[in-house]
Amino acid sequence: MYQDLFMQESIRKVEAARQANMKLDPRRMTAEEKDVLLKTYHPDYREEQFVNLSFGPNAGQKVPGELAALLQGRSRILGREIDLEHPDYDTDVLIVGGGGAGASAAIEADENGARVMIVTKLRIGDANTMMAEGGIQAADKPGDSPAQHFLDAYGGGHFAAQKDLLYKLVTEAPEAIRWLSELGVEFDKAPDGTMITTHGGGTSRKRMHAAKDYSGAEIMRTLRDEVLNRGIPVVDFTSAIELIKDENGRCAGAVLMNMETKELLVARAKTVILATGGAGRLHYQGFPTSNHYGATADGLVLAYRAGARLLYPDTLQYHPTGAAFPAQIYGALVTEKVRSVGAMLVNANGEVFMNPLETRDVSAAAIIRECSDRGNGVPTPEGQAVWLDTPMIELKHGAGTIEKRIPAMMRMFAKHGIDIRREPILVYPTLHYQNGGLKITDDGQTDIENLYAAGEVVGGIHGRNRLMGNSLLDIIVFGRNAGRHASEKAKQTEPGRLTLAHVDAFEKQRAEAGITDGTVSPRLLPDYTRKK
Ligand code: MEZ
C-alpha cells in the first residue's frame, strides 16, 4: 500500500530501529517543556485563528473564528410564522440530541416518572459516542481511587476544571461502570471475571475499561436499546433550531425543524436538556475531524442566543493520532489504545521523539513540531505525518494481540491494504473534542432556568484538556444527572405563555454590533459543497 518511495525508505528506517526503540522508556516532559511546546505548536495558541465576540453573554471573549460566526449568526426562524399557542408536542422533559448523554438523560428521567421525548437531527445513536473507541475511565480497582483519578484529570486539564464537576465525575465513575454493565455493556474481562483495564495518556493508574476498540459503539448500542425498550419517544431527522422561553424567562421548549420537509414544529416542555455534542464538523483551522457528521456546535448556538454563558470556548482537543493516510480515512480516529497497548510514535527517520502516553494536547503539539520546524515528518498527499509503529504491539505481547485488543483498527486499515500487524501507520492530529462549552451547575443547569445540558456541549468538567476515556464517562455521569434533576424540576414547573422574544432581542443586538454577514445558525450539517 505504501507505494510512495519516501514512505518506503522511511519504513525501512522504522523497521531497522524497531528493536532498539522498543527498549526505550522515553522520559516525560517537564512542566516547563510542555508549556513552551504548547504555546509554540498547539493550534489553541494560534491567536490569528480566534476572534473576540462582539455581543452576547461572552462578549469580549475569544472563540475560534468559525464558531464566532455561528454564535453571532442570524436565526433560522426570522420571518417564519410560528404558532406558539398550539404546540405540536407537549412533554415534561425535552431532550435535544440522541447520543450517549441524551440517551442516559432520557433513561434516568423516564425512571423518575417523567414524560420524556428525544428529538435528534439524525437518528438515535448517530453521535460522537458511537465513534469513541478506546474506553471509559473509572477508579474501581485496588490501588486506585477517585482522588487519584481527580489528580490525573485536574493536572491533565491544566488545573482549569470546575472542581465540583470534576469531583462528581470521578466519584460517580465506579457507579457509572456498574450501571452500564447491568444494562448489558460487554466490557473486556479476564477469565476470572475482573475487568481488564489499561492506561491512557496522563493516567497514573490503569483505569480504562473498554470493549475492545469499539467501546463507544458498545455503550451506545446498549443505551439505545434501553431507550427503545422503555418506549421513550424519539423524533428523528428533526433538529432544534431555537429554544423557546416562557414569559418568566424560563426555558420552555424548542422550535423544531423537520430536516427533510423543513416544516417547523413547536415542542413545549417543562424542562429542556441540551445534549447536542461537539463541533468537529466545523473543521476549525482546516483540521480534519474524527467527529460524527452532526457535530456542528448547534447546542452552543441555541443556548448562547437564549442568554447562557460558555466556559473555555477557546479550547479544543486535537487527538494526536488521526489517520493521515490513505486519503479515504483522513482524520479518522486511531484510538489512543493503540499506544496504551504498546505502539510508539516515531518520526520519518525511525526515531522515537516523545513518550507515547503524554497528555493529548502535549502529544498533538509534539507531532506538529516534528512535522513542521524539525522537518522530521513523512510527506503525505494531505500534508505531513509521523509513524505509529503498530508492529511493536505483537512483538511485545504476542501474535494475535492486535486482533484481540484493537480489531476495529485492524479492520479500518486492512480495508485499504495496510496490515497494521506488519506495517506501521501514518498519523497526524485530528479535531476530536470541544473542551469548552456551556457553563453548568452541578445539577446540570445552565444559566437559564429549566435549561439543562450534558455531554460534550458542556464546558469546564475537564478544564483545558481532557484525558482519554473521561468523555464516555462524563456523558453517563452528567447525562444521568441532568435527567434526574430536569425531571425533578419538571414536577414543580408549569410553563407560562411561550415566547421567542429573546430571538428578536438577539437580532437587535446583532444589528447594533454592526454584524452584517449572512451566516445563518445553527449550522445543523457541515457544508461540503465544493467551493470554486
Ligand atoms: O475519550 C476519548 O476521546 C477516546 C476514548 C478516544 C480514543 O482514543 O479512543
Side-chain angles (χ1 to χ4, degrees):
M1 181 61 196
Y2 297 114
Q3 280 156 8
D4 175 89
L5 287 181
F6 187 97
M7 288 182 193
Q8 287 178 3
E9 181 61 24
S10 177
I11 287 184
R12 277 194 283 278
K13 292 180 191 165
V14 173
E15 286 171 344
R18 186 169 290 142
Q19 289 294 343
N21 282 344
M22 277 170 53
K23 294 195 188 96
L24 298 176
D25 181 14
R27 72 169 179 86
R28 299 286 172 126
M29 287 178 225
T30 63
E32 292 69 34
E33 284 170 330
K34 288 183 195 177
D35 229 38
V36 173
L37 178 71
L38 290 172
K39 289 193 174 121
T40 318
Y41 296 100
H42 194 278
D44 278 0
Y45 291 88
R46 294 178 189 159
E47 290 301 326
E48 74 287 358
Q49 298 288 338
F50 294 82
V51 299
N52 291 334
L53 289 166
S54 307
F55 70 100
N58 287 75
Q61 289 179 27
K62 71 169 198 177
V63 300
E66 299 86 341
L67 180 61
L70 297 176
L71 289 174
Q72 301 184 145
R74 276 170 63 78
S75 169
R76 288 176 174 269
I77 65 168
L78 296 177
R80 301 282 302 261
E81 277 295 304
I82 295 164
D83 182 2
L84 295 175
E85 302 285 319
H86 302 97
D88 301 275
Y89 301 98
D90 208 341
T91 190
D92 293 339
V93 183
L94 172 68
I95 298 173
V96 183
S104 300
I107 295 165
E108 205 63 29
D110 180 67
E111 186 67 24
N112 200 20
R115 290 177 305 142
V116 191
M117 175 180 132
I118 294 178
V119 56
T120 172
K121 67 184 168 185
L122 294 166
R123 300 161 304 177
I124 182 164
D126 288 338
N128 280 347
T129 300
M130 192 63 121
M131 309 184 68
E133 294 172 352
I136 169 169
Q137 286 203 45
D140 58 0
K141 284 194 150 172
D144 197 3
S145 66
Q148 202 62 50
H149 188 174
F150 184 99
L151 290 175
D152 290 348
Y154 197 51
H158 302 285
F159 309 98
Q162 301 295 288
K163 290 201 267 306
D164 55 339
L165 301 183
L166 184 55
Y167 176 84
K168 192 171 188 59
L169 183 81
V170 299
T171 52
E172 295 185 16
E175 157 59 15
I177 298 290
R178 196 196 51 75
W179 186 69
L180 287 172
S181 296
E182 281 181 5
L183 285 179
V185 172
E186 294 282 357
F187 287 112
D188 296 341
K189 298 198 187 69
D192 68 357
T194 52
M195 299 261 185
I196 296 175
T197 49
T198 51
H199 271 300
T203 61
S204 62
R205 301 287 188 279
K206 291 183 178 179
R207 69 171 77 90
M208 200 72 57
H209 301 61
K212 302 203 184 293
D213 56 349
Y214 36 78
S215 311
E218 171 62 4
I219 289 173
M220 193 67 238
R221 172 193 73 76
T222 309
L223 295 175
R224 179 174 54 194
D225 283 356
E226 183 66 16
V227 166
L228 299 180
N229 288 342
R230 283 172 178 259
I232 295 170
V234 179
V235 182
D236 54 16
F237 296 113
T238 302
S239 53
I241 58 168
E242 218 58 83
L243 292 170
I244 298 171
K245 289 188 177 177
D246 73 2
E247 59 201 329
N248 304 310
R250 301 175 300 187
C251 190
V255 178
L256 311 179
M257 184 179 82
N258 180 305
M259 294 294 280
E260 283 163 84
T261 63
K262 309 289 181 245
E263 182 191 6
L264 298 191
L265 302 155
V266 169
R268 183 169 67 170
K270 293 175 179 169
T271 58
V272 175
I273 302 175
L274 285 176
T276 50
R281 291 283 163 176
L282 299 184
H283 294 287
Y284 296 133
Q285 304 189 26
F287 271 82
T289 186
S290 59
N291 277 191
H292 187 265
Y293 194 60
T296 50
D298 303 349
L300 302 187
V301 172
L302 299 187
Y304 192 74
R305 200 171 275 155
R309 269 171 305 166
L310 309 175
L311 204 58
Y312 310 144
D314 57 331
T315 153
L316 283 307
Q317 179 162 89
Y318 297 82
H319 194 294
T321 58
F325 183 84
Q328 295 93 319
I329 52 170
Y330 181 52
L333 182 61
V334 173
T335 175
E336 194 165 317
K337 192 172 176 185
V338 177
R339 282 173 284 144
S340 306
V341 295
M344 294 174 101
L345 289 160
V346 291
N347 65 22
N349 308 317
E351 296 154 348
V352 171
F353 57 91
M354 55 175 279
N355 184 296
L357 289 178
E358 293 282 8
T359 53
R360 285 188 174 164
D361 51 353
V362 171
S363 306
I367 293 171
I368 292 170
R369 175 176 63 185
E370 210 60 22
C371 291
S372 53
D373 290 359
R374 288 191 174 170
N376 290 332
V378 178
T380 66
E382 260 65 43
Q384 297 272 324
V386 295
W387 295 107
L388 185 54
D389 196 8
T390 47
M392 283 184 175
I393 297 171
E394 303 221 326
L395 291 174
K396 284 182 188 168
H397 303 295
T401 306
I402 287 185
E403 185 157 21
K404 189 157 168 226
R405 305 292 301 278
I406 48 171
M409 292 298 96
M410 190 171 125
R411 264 200 305 280
M412 177 166 83
F413 283 93
K415 274 191 203 152
H416 302 286
I418 296 172
D419 183 348
I420 71 171
R421 294 169 300 186
R422 292 177 184 83
E423 300 162 291
I425 55 182
L426 285 165
V427 294
Y428 191 78
T430 185
L431 185 53
H432 184 61
Y433 188 77
Q434 150 183 289
N435 297 317
L438 292 169
K439 184 168 166 41
I440 57 164
T441 57
D442 70 359
D443 64 4
Q445 195 168 243
T446 66
D447 283 343
I448 300 166
E449 191 176 350
N450 291 359
L451 178 64
Y452 294 77
E456 196 172 339
V457 74
V458 169
I461 300 171
H462 310 283
R464 293 188 161 270
N465 176 58
R466 176 179 65 78
L467 300 189
M468 169 193 187
N470 274 350
S471 167
L472 280 179
L473 176 60
D474 108 34
I475 60 170
I476 305 300
V477 169
F478 287 94
R480 294 181 74 194
N481 184 54
R484 209 173 300 129
H485 287 285
S487 54
E488 213 41 53
K489 188 71 190 300
K491 290 181 188 160
Q492 308 146 26
T493 300
E494 201 43 62
R497 191 178 47 81
L498 301 188
T499 167
L500 286 162
H502 63 281
V503 178
D504 296 328
F506 191 87
E507 186 56 23
K508 195 158 160 269
Q509 280 185 283
R510 190 173 184 270
E512 283 165 5
I515 295 176
T516 51
D517 84 84
T519 305
V520 172
S521 60
R523 169 70 57 78
L524 305 180
L525 293 174
D527 177 9
Y528 289 139
T529 44
R530 196 178 287 277
K531 311 262 181 339
K532 290 235 168 79

